[in-house]
Amino acid sequence: MLEASARLLRLLSLLQSRTDWTGPELAERLRVSVRTVRYDIGKLRDLGYPVHAAPGAAGGYRLGAGAALPPLLLDDEEAVAVAVSLGTAAGGTVAGIEETSVRALAKLEQVLPSRLRRRVAALHGYTTRLGPGGPAVAAETLATIAAACRDHRRLRFGYRRHDGGESARDVEPYRLVHTGRRWYLIGWDVSRDDWRTFRVDRIALRTPEGPRFTPRETPPADLVPRGVDAALAHHRARVTVHAPAEEITGRVPASVLVEPLGDESCVVLASGDTPYRLALNILMLEADFEVDGPPELLDALDTLAGRCKAGISSRRA
């Protein structure tokens, strides 16, 4: 009986690790006959696991989705990954799942072997979240947007801009992006006929949902980081930097556009959420530069230069 139970668990683990298996493949892995595999498949079905079978030479077995959630088998790395993710979710930016995440984490840690429990505790104990989290987003809102992305269904929503104004949007949703502090939606704005980035915490979904749409060609790979960068930054500047483009590219995030300007200089499209942050981002390029504006950036650079000069002068005195 113990051998049969262990074999059943091994069969379940195999079915969860890959989409499709043939009977002979499972029999070879389990070192049993194909007839025994059919018997064990019947046992799994009796336990509530929806194992689908397709007849014929090209047929096989597939573990499907059922009406109830059956137990899952996780290997060591998967169990640690789930535990860490639940701990992060308990203090994250998705509203309404904190308590649920804590309950699920408590259940998982109760059955974790001691060696894995120590690994999870170490990860939680020696991990620090930098800065406060971003605005919370309802889990239901994220689920609705994700489903619309999956089903290629247009979303209609009210959107609150950073200046407080509101507008109605009709968008073909493409992807959700999480930066660690905020959630963003990347989509095709139908009325503006262009790709746009929206902060999810500023979205008020409307019902009913829009019609289905035919997905457009996949946008450029850099659309998502550039779109999120545009949503984060309210202050921008075109900066001429006296250093090769290859050198500067290695010092900035992928979302920052660097254009070559000869062999020894380049143009950087810098940004920041405040004029001072923009100025600091430019100084962190670690190269000589020239910039003509905007005026608030020039004022910030003048202020920072004065503070640096005063600080150095007082130390020398």
Side-chain angles (χ1 to χ4, degrees), residues 21-65:
W21 289 88
T22 66
E25 285 177 331
L26 291 173
E28 181 181 358
R29 289 293 190 96
L30 297 172
R31 298 181 181 179
V32 296
S33 66
V34 174
R35 181 178 179 181
T36 301
V37 169
R38 288 197 297 268
Y39 175 82
D40 288 345
I41 291 292
K43 284 292 185 181
L44 287 179
R45 288 170 177 162
D46 292 341
L47 293 172
Y49 292 95
V51 183
H52 305 304
Y61 298 101
R62 170 182 295 185
L63 186 63

Side-chain angles (χ1 to χ4, degrees), residues 86 100-112 117:
L86 287 171
T100 306
S101 300
V102 171
R103 291 203 311 268
L105 179 59
K107 291 181 180 179
L108 180 59
E109 289 187 338
Q110 183 178 4
V111 298
L112 283 177
R117 195 179 300 116

Side-chain angles (χ1 to χ4, degrees), residues 81-107 109 120 124 129 133-134 136-137 139 178 180 183:
V82 171
V84 172
S85 299
L86 287 171
T88 302
T93 57
V94 181
I97 67 169
E98 297 89 347
E99 183 180 350
T100 306
S101 300
V102 171
R103 291 203 311 268
L105 179 59
K107 291 181 180 179
E109 289 187 338
V120 172
H124 286 314
R129 183 186 300 273
V137 176
H178 187 223
W183 287 91

Side-chain angles (χ1 to χ4, degrees), residues 122-131:
L123 282 169
H124 286 314
Y126 292 91
T127 301
T128 302
R129 183 186 300 273
L130 288 177

Side-chain angles (χ1 to χ4, degrees), residues 263-312:
D263 295 333
E264 298 299 327
S265 61
C266 60
V267 173
V268 176
L269 300 184
S271 60
D273 52 356
T274 69
Y276 285 98
R277 179 66 65 180
L278 173 56
L280 290 173
N281 289 341
I282 294 173
L283 293 174
M284 289 174 64
L285 296 175
E286 300 180 21
D288 294 335
F289 64 90
E290 298 175 17
V291 62
D292 298 327
E296 56 269 23
L297 169 62
L298 301 180
D299 291 341
L301 287 169
D302 282 339
T303 300
L304 291 173
R307 288 175 180 170
C308 291
K309 185 176 181 180
I312 294 174

Side-chain angles (χ1 to χ4, degrees), residues 238-249 251 257-269 285 287-290:
R238 187 178 178 88
V239 186
T240 300
V241 181
H242 298 294
E246 296 81 3
E247 181 178 328
I248 297 301
T249 300
R251 301 176 185 172
L257 181 62
V258 179
E259 301 174 345
L261 193 64
D263 295 333
E264 298 299 327
S265 61
C266 60
V267 173
V268 176
L269 300 184
L285 296 175
D288 294 335
F289 64 90
E290 298 175 17

